Amino acid sequence: MLFPLVGLLARLSLCAAPASVTLDIPVLVAGYGSAFFEQTAREFEGLHPEVKIRLHGDPRINDQVRIRVMAGDYPDATDAVLLYPNLIQAGRILDLAPWLDGPNWEGDAPWRSTFLPGVLDRWTGAEKQTQSPAEMASRHSPPVYGLPFAHAVWTIFYDKKRFRENGWEVPRTWDEFFALCERMEAAGVAPVSLPGMFMRYGDAFLRAAHYNLVGPDGYQAYNQLAPGTRTDPRFIRAADVLQRLATRHLIKGWEGMNHTAAQLAFIESRAAMTVSASWFVNEMRGKIPAGFELGAMNFPVFADGITDPATLQTQSAYYFLFVNGDPARERAAVDFFRYLTSRAVAARFARTVDSPVALRAVQPGDYSPAMRDTATLIARSPASFDAAPPASAAQLAFINQAMTDARYRLMTGRITPREFGERLEAAAASERARRADPDRVETRHGLAAALLLLVLAVLIGWMVWAWFVQGRRRNGADSSAAEKGARRSFSAAASEHLGRLRGPMAFGFVGPALALFGALVILPGLVSFVWAFTRWDGFGGRTPAGLFNFKWLLLESDVFWFALKNNLYLMIVPALVVVPAALFFATLIHRGVWGAGVFRVVFLFPNMLGGIAATLLWMSAYDPHGGLVNTALVKLGFDGFDGFAWLSQAHLYGALIPIYLWMACGFNLVLYLAAMEGIPDDLYEAAELEGASEARQFFTITLPLIREVLVISAVFLVIGGLNAFEMIWLLTSQDPASGSHTLSTLMVSTMFQEFQIGRATAIAVVMFVLVLVGSAAVMRALKRESVEI
């Protein structure tokens, strides 16, 4: 009788609150959408009219909330991916243990007991630094900071009907699994589809095999970067499973597939199995054909594995409630999540979204037939392990780059499983050393850094000498009295016609624009320069770092030099294709080729789409199976391009050239054409009378007279090559390997995935210097000296 009475009193206390409470809850729109949560918020408002909930979802909510939190604008609750260990240590996340020890929404049991076993453990036990002695003395349960709801389970999906027709059995061990893959290939069927553009999906095989061999203690040591865990023979065996699968048994062209294409390959029976979490069913709703008997199997195990074969690999969506200093708002936020995790709401989520929840209330009968296997696996599972355990900033840096790079090489057969483990162990050792000595910098690229600084110094010195010394010398020698008189006459005529512009009036014209530019561009830029000399994770305090961020980038970071090399490629190679092509077509149109008006529109059309839309179009065109490019090449007789993975990381930058040509040719064509149409026809007529060919007219008349426009075009290409971002970011599914990064993608990854704000702003400063010096050098090199004879 105690819990029903306590639950009733808790709800009455909330209803009795005289002042209205508005909760701000941003949620991630991914595999589950936001419609269900918005509906639940409206229901809760109906039960508690004094509470208003601003629940809003967005696929990019992670970035939006990160920026808000960095600015000190905390929501009431969110499931966005943040650096929660740091926020917990700073005392910004609400400890839910006292509430979990209280009643559930129905008031008939402790709230804690309504969750599945183990799901609360992920965010249990971390003590905040700001905890008072009174809080510590009054505590009965360890602190809990994350509240799970949607409960994804990683499984291998398969077509039951196809298995039955071919006499295939669900494998129990890895030996049986690979034997099954060979039987499938003998029957002409690709065994597994996996998204190569998001190779993290392959980690599900690595985690399952590794956990089965090392158990919970070994898995915890691995995730804490314990020494030797990545060169452990058991980890090497797990890596061998992933490599064997990736190099022998994946669908052709998998490296160029995104996760949707990989899932469709399975649904369209081009692959017998696919790997995904349980959100697969909701994502593919409406696309699974009638009669398709979707099955889900757990990952196989080793014959000498030490964990129960029924142990599941899970990935719950956790909500975190923020401390905001207002007990009424905190109580209202907790009560909303108590309602969200109630029996009726949880069962409705399972029926509506067709996805598991981290609550005991949901039964297998609440799911559709497509999810029954997953529900049965959950019901029979004696334990689970987390596919994405909490990570510190150092671990995030390790996971987000070193693992991405090594995983790519492992799955494409470029390194052996042992080399994979050794690379990861070296990266983990580096992170441990940096944790012990934050100012440590290992010199790996001393010569390259010295050469880069020397080149920049030479360019700056050359430009200063050219602009100031040569400029003064030329003005002193060549400026004639006639020229000075002409300039004075022009100035006097302008003043007489327009009148002298007085100071206040001039400030009225220029002042507002200058103020806005200063406030929105110059001031943030100066702040960024200051941040580049600090350490800051975006949530705690900033500490001075001196030149550490720049030294680390130039001397130690391999990824920085990969990114710089890729930027240089994008500055030079596309220009070598785009500029000649744009000049050629501009000349044809200028010469009056048939259909010139139509060609202007056709060439300019890609610029109307924008970079993101155009990139998405090309992503579809480059699809290995059914994409326009491969289909056209195969039809033309180039059978080797059947299933060719254009967007794999090995071919990515070569595949960018047609995209750049398609997107940039029209803009540059218009620039060149406008300059050509300003050339007097008399020059061409005189050249024709002298017997000059059209080719000679182009090189002696057209090209010299549009030189200034060519300079502008070259500067645009330099800036575009150095600032390249959205194309690479989208074509790599926001997860570039080291060899695919540009400086812009590296900056974004460093800031929003590794939470290294100081280092990210240092990259921005380097980019600013490179753009400034590169653009000025190009302009100076291509500038034509005007000398009177």
Side-chain angles (χ1 to χ4, degrees):
M1 294 294 294
L2 177 62
F3 280 109
L5 179 60
V6 174
L8 178 62
L9 291 175
R11 270 185 272 178
L12 287 176
S13 66
L14 182 61
C15 293
S20 62
V21 175
T22 301
L23 301 179
D24 178 24
I25 306 178
V27 298
L28 176 65
V29 176
Y32 309 114
S34 63
F36 174 85
F37 300 99
E38 292 172 358
Q39 176 188 349
T40 304
R42 303 292 82 79
E43 293 172 359
F44 184 80
E45 289 174 344
L47 295 171
H48 298 283
E50 74 285 354
V51 178
K52 301 298 180 185
I53 300 178
R54 182 175 172 265
L55 192 148
H56 50 103
D58 192 283
R60 305 298 302 166
I61 207 70
N62 288 336
D63 296 337
Q64 296 171 12
V65 175
R66 286 167 189 167
I67 293 172
R68 285 184 55 183
V69 171
M70 289 177 188
D73 179 18
Y74 299 99
D76 291 285
T78 186
D79 63 342
V81 179
L82 302 173
L83 200 60
Y84 287 110
N86 291 34
L87 290 170
I88 291 170
Q89 290 295 319
R92 299 304 313 180
I93 303 299
L94 186 67
D95 177 12
L96 299 171
W99 305 95
L100 290 166
D101 291 334
N104 61 354
W105 178 257
E106 292 79 8
D108 57 4
W111 191 17
R112 182 189 300 272
S113 68
T114 62
F115 292 90
L116 292 174
V119 295
L120 292 173
D121 294 345
R122 178 182 177 188
W123 292 101
T124 295
E127 299 284 355
K128 64 180 182 180
Q129 291 178 341
T130 57
Q131 194 173 36
S132 66
E135 288 177 314
M136 296 178 67
S138 62
R139 180 174 302 285
H140 297 288
S141 300
V144 179
Y145 295 101
L147 193 70
F149 184 66
H151 188 62
V153 179
W154 283 90
T155 58
I156 300 173
F157 289 95
Y158 67 101
D159 184 354
K160 289 183 175 181
K161 182 179 179 181
R162 194 172 195 178
F163 266 56
R164 191 167 55 248
E165 292 173 348
N166 287 275
W168 299 333
E169 297 290 337
V170 172
R172 304 298 179 188
T173 67
W174 288 112
D175 289 338
E176 293 176 2
F177 176 80
F178 287 119
L180 174 62
C181 289
E182 291 173 359
R183 291 180 60 192
M184 291 174 174
E185 289 173 333
V189 179
V192 182
S193 66
L194 186 145
M197 292 176 62
F198 201 73
M199 287 189 179
R200 290 178 187 267
Y201 274 62
D203 289 354
F205 291 93
L206 179 68
R207 288 190 298 260
H210 184 220
Y211 186 86
N212 176 240
L213 290 172
V214 301
D217 293 337
Y219 188 68
Q220 182 181 17
Y222 168 84
N223 286 309
Q224 292 176 349
L225 305 185
T229 53
R230 286 158 178 80
T231 52
D232 187 316
R234 294 170 295 181
F235 181 75
I236 304 303
R237 285 180 67 189
D240 182 66
V241 167
L242 177 57
Q243 185 174 69
R244 185 175 175 184
L245 171 72
T247 56
R248 301 184 191 179
H249 303 301
L250 292 183
I251 188 172
K252 186 177 181 180
W254 68 274
E255 290 183 61
M257 288 182 170
N258 57 29
H259 78 284
T260 302
Q263 292 170 354
L264 288 175
F266 164 64
I267 289 174
E268 294 168 358
S269 298
R270 288 184 279 115
M273 298 176 286
T274 192
V275 61
S276 183
S278 48
W279 55 66
F280 167 83
V281 176
N282 187 58
E283 287 182 335
M284 292 291 106
R285 180 173 295 180
K287 298 177 182 177
I288 299 177
F292 191 96
E293 298 180 29
L294 184 65
M297 69 176 82
N298 199 8
F299 289 90
V301 296
F302 288 100
D304 58 344
I306 65 174
T307 60
D308 193 305
T311 301
L312 292 179
Q313 181 178 168
T314 61
Q315 185 175 336
S316 294
Y318 286 84
Y319 289 89
F320 296 84
L321 282 64
F322 285 78
V323 174
N324 52 44
D326 184 348
R329 283 178 60 186
E330 292 175 1
R331 185 169 61 248
V334 170
D335 212 51
F336 169 69
F337 283 96
R338 287 173 61 242
Y339 176 69
L340 178 66
T341 56
S342 64
R343 296 189 187 98
V345 175
R348 190 172 75 244
F349 178 84
R351 291 191 299 268
T352 304
V353 184
D354 212 11
S355 177
V357 293
L359 297 155
R360 299 176 186 269
V362 180
Q363 302 300 318
D366 293 320
Y367 299 102
S368 72
M371 282 296 296
R372 294 285 166 81
D373 281 8
T374 301
T376 302
L377 290 174
I378 295 173
R380 295 177 178 175
S381 175
S384 65
F385 68 96
D386 203 329
S392 65
Q395 288 170 305
L396 282 173
F398 166 76
I399 293 168
N400 284 322
Q401 197 53 67
M403 183 64 176
T404 298
D405 191 27
R407 182 198 303 116
Y408 166 70
R409 286 173 166 78
L410 175 74
M411 294 181 66
T412 55
R414 287 170 167 80
I415 57 176
T416 65
R418 180 167 298 279
E419 290 172 331
F420 173 72
E422 291 171 350
R423 285 171 179 256
L424 293 184
E425 186 63 33
S430 178
E431 292 302 331
R432 290 193 299 269
R434 183 166 293 109
R435 194 182 304 170
D437 181 10
D439 295 324
R440 171 181 174 273
V441 176
E442 179 183 349
T443 302
R444 299 178 186 171
H445 305 282
L447 181 60
L451 183 60
L452 175 63
L453 294 176
L454 178 62
V455 169
L456 290 175
V458 169
L459 288 176
I460 293 173
W462 168 64
M463 288 184 293
V464 170
W465 176 78
W467 280 336
F468 290 97
V469 178
Q470 280 194 336
R472 266 203 304 266
R473 184 184 305 162
R474 186 176 61 251
N475 290 338
D478 298 340
S479 184
S480 63
E483 289 174 333
K484 294 178 181 178
R487 285 197 294 268
R488 283 196 298 268
S489 299
F490 176 79
S491 176
S495 177
E496 180 181 353
H497 182 70
L498 300 175
R500 183 175 296 277
L501 192 61
R502 301 179 183 276
M505 182 176 294
F507 183 78
F509 280 111
V510 179
L514 185 60
L516 287 173
F517 184 77
L520 300 178
V521 178
I522 297 178
L523 185 59
L526 294 176
V527 171
S528 296
F529 271 88
V530 175
W531 285 358
F533 299 93
T534 65
R535 285 190 182 91
W536 186 38
D537 60 15
F539 308 115
R542 286 184 289 269
T543 58
L547 294 173
F548 170 78
N549 292 320
F550 294 98
K551 290 192 293 184
W552 187 89
L553 288 172
L554 294 174
L555 298 177
E556 181 172 343
S557 175
D558 298 329
V559 188
F560 172 82
W561 290 101
F562 280 127
L564 182 59
K565 179 193 70 174
N566 291 333
N567 278 112
L568 292 174
Y569 176 92
L570 293 177
M571 286 170 52
I572 297 171
V573 177
L576 296 178
V577 178
V578 170
V579 172
L583 272 174
F584 174 74
F585 290 116
T587 302
L588 290 181
I589 295 174
H590 179 60
R591 289 291 185 177
V593 69
W594 180 85
V598 175
F599 287 136
R600 293 188 191 207
V601 177
V602 169
F603 280 113
L604 195 59
F605 172 74
N607 295 94
M608 301 171 63
L609 295 177
I612 294 177
T615 302
L616 293 176
L617 278 176
W618 277 92
M619 187 183 296
S620 176
Y622 277 138
D623 185 88
H625 301 279
L628 178 63
V629 175
N630 282 356
T631 301
L633 290 172
V634 170
K635 292 290 185 183
L636 292 173
F638 299 98
D639 295 335
F641 287 98
D642 183 22
F644 188 80
W646 288 99
L647 298 182
S648 67
Q649 295 179 21
H651 306 132
L652 176 63
Y653 277 85
L656 293 179
I657 302 304
I659 304 178
Y660 266 94
L661 182 62
W662 187 72
M663 292 178 59
C665 187
F667 174 76
N668 288 280
L669 181 148
V670 171
L671 284 180
Y672 302 156
L673 186 59
M676 290 177 184
E677 291 180 346
I679 300 174
D681 293 336
D682 296 346
L683 297 178
Y684 292 107
E685 293 174 0
E688 288 180 3
L689 291 176
E690 294 292 333
S693 64
E694 291 187 355
R696 187 171 183 182
Q697 292 176 34
F698 173 79
F699 286 105
T700 58
I701 299 176
T702 306
L703 206 56
L705 292 179
I706 65 170
R707 185 185 181 94
E708 299 298 331
V709 176
L710 289 174
V711 172
I712 295 172
S713 173
V715 170
F716 284 161
L717 290 170
V718 168
I719 295 174
L722 284 171
N723 290 336
F725 171 70
E726 68 262 10
M727 193 182 300
I728 304 298
W729 193 245
L730 291 173
L731 293 178
T732 57
S733 293
Q734 306 172 34
D735 189 31
S738 294
S740 300
H741 266 299
T742 63
L743 290 176
S744 294
T745 61
L746 179 60
M747 178 184 68
V748 172
S749 296
T750 303
M751 177 171 286
F752 292 114
Q753 294 180 0
E754 300 177 13
F755 301 96
Q756 300 282 350
I757 311 303
R759 188 178 298 171
T761 51
I763 297 172
V765 170
V766 172
M767 289 177 61
F768 172 78
V769 173
L770 292 176
V771 169
L772 181 64
V773 174
S775 301
V778 169
M779 292 181 65
R780 183 61 199 171
L782 297 180
K783 184 177 180 181
R784 182 178 57 187
E785 299 292 341
S786 56
V787 180
E788 288 194 24
I789 298 177

